[in-house]
Amino acid sequence: MIIKNPRLEISAVSKKQYPKQNIPEIVLVGKSNVGKSSFVNTMLERKNLARTSNTPGKTRQINFYNIDDKFYFVDLPGYGYSKMSKEEQITSGKYIEEYLEEGKNISLIILLLDIRHKPTEDDFLMYDYILKTNLPFIVLTNKADKIAITKVDQEVQRIKESLGISYSTILPFSSERKIYIDEVWKKIEKFI
Ligand code: GTP
Ligand code: MG
């Protein structure tokens, strides 16, 4: 994939701020700190286009990254960050819901999970929600660099079984080591 000029078009907090262009949207969802914003940087080979942080709760708005007017990466706030105030959790939950409900240009949802852990209760809620939308999705088990390379397949398998999905919809990923990028682009390219 040749990327020329990816840019943050808007950080939206309401529907009326969503871009008007009807081009495909590839959406990143997942709990706080799982690596959604890092994923955007990794795929686009940009260090700091999307803001990332060690502290969960970095992304608070709906960030639309315009990729050469061909498609958007939509980086959503994370869920399940208990240290965020109740009010902030409700607000970011509302942003996520509003966006996914509107969803007229969503062509693919990418759910990021942490390869090291069982999906959380919130992950399952999100997963069920995704199934209900009937939209195409893939699951990426991120932070694959954190476990031994020989354990990656086994852990992907474990998460796959807990969600009850077919192998083709789940892949490992690592922003840290920049591995599995080609495989993920191959999936995404079918939807843009
Ligand atoms: P919110 O904006 O809070 O929802 O978080 P996010 O999902 O956007 O996570 P972000 O990309 O900000 O990453 C959170 C932390 O995890 C940062 O310190 C990243 O450097 C780190 N991180 C992201 N991806 C990976 C990965 O593949 N491996 C490792 N080891 N760390 C990662
Ligand atoms: Mg983020």
Side-chain angles (χ1 to χ4, degrees):
M1 180 67 139
I2 297 160
I3 308 288
K4 289 189 190 134
N5 181 32
R7 61 195 168 89
L8 175 60
E9 185 171 313
I10 190 155
S11 293
V13 294
S14 70
K15 281 187 191 180
K16 60 177 189 299
Q17 295 177 307
Y18 297 173
K20 304 286 176 290
Q21 261 194 111
N22 289 311
I23 54 175
E25 293 172 3
I26 310 283
V27 192
L28 282 316
V29 297
K31 68 182 176 202
S32 258
N33 213 41
V34 71
K36 299 174 296 299
S37 302
S38 304
F39 172 91
V40 172
N41 289 333
T42 300
M43 295 303 281
L44 300 174
E45 296 181 39
R46 298 296 188 279
K47 274 209 178 78
N48 297 308
L49 182 63
R51 279 188 292 167
T52 66
S53 170
N54 280 327
T55 314
K58 182 69 183 174
T59 309
R60 299 288 174 100
Q61 291 141 348
I62 302 183
N63 291 318
F64 288 85
Y65 294 93
N66 181 322
I67 319 301
D68 300 338
D69 289 320
K70 202 171 167 215
F71 72 98
Y72 289 101
F73 273 135
V74 183
D75 184 15
L76 294 184
Y79 50 73
Y81 177 42
S82 54
K83 288 205 184 112
M84 216 188 257
S85 75
K86 247 295 102 16
E87 211 172 289
E88 284 170 319
Q89 285 187 51
I90 290 167
T91 305
S92 47
K94 196 182 98 202
Y95 292 166
I96 299 169
E97 245 171 68
E98 263 184 11
Y99 172 74
L100 292 174
E101 261 170 29
E102 165 91 9
K104 67 180 168 49
N105 291 318
I106 300 176
S107 67
L108 179 69
I109 299 177
I110 301 181
L111 171 63
L112 265 77
L113 300 174
D114 189 320
I115 198 164
R116 297 167 295 174
H117 309 301
K118 256 177 55 187
T120 63
E121 211 172 293
D122 288 330
D123 287 331
F124 279 112
L125 281 173
M126 179 50 77
Y127 179 65
D128 286 340
Y129 186 89
I130 292 170
L131 291 181
K132 281 203 200 97
T133 65
N134 273 322
L135 288 162
F137 71 92
I138 57 171
V139 178
L140 299 183
T141 55
N142 195 32
K143 307 200 182 183
D145 56 283
K146 293 268 199 190
I147 61 171
I149 194 105
T150 50
K151 290 263 164 64
V152 167
D153 274 353
Q154 186 183 315
E155 293 309 298
V156 172
Q157 180 70 18
R158 188 178 53 82
I159 293 175
K160 176 189 122 97
E161 275 163 18
S162 71
L163 297 175
I165 53 180
S166 77
Y167 204 80
S168 63
T169 17
I170 183 162
L171 290 171
F173 195 76
S174 168
S175 278
E176 182 72 22
R177 272 209 209 126
K178 317 257 182 284
I179 44 178
Y180 311 107
I181 292 170
D182 291 348
E183 289 85 342
V184 173
W185 267 129
K186 245 182 237 161
K187 293 267 179 214
I188 292 176
E189 277 166 1
K190 291 184 193 148
F191 295 93
I192 56 181

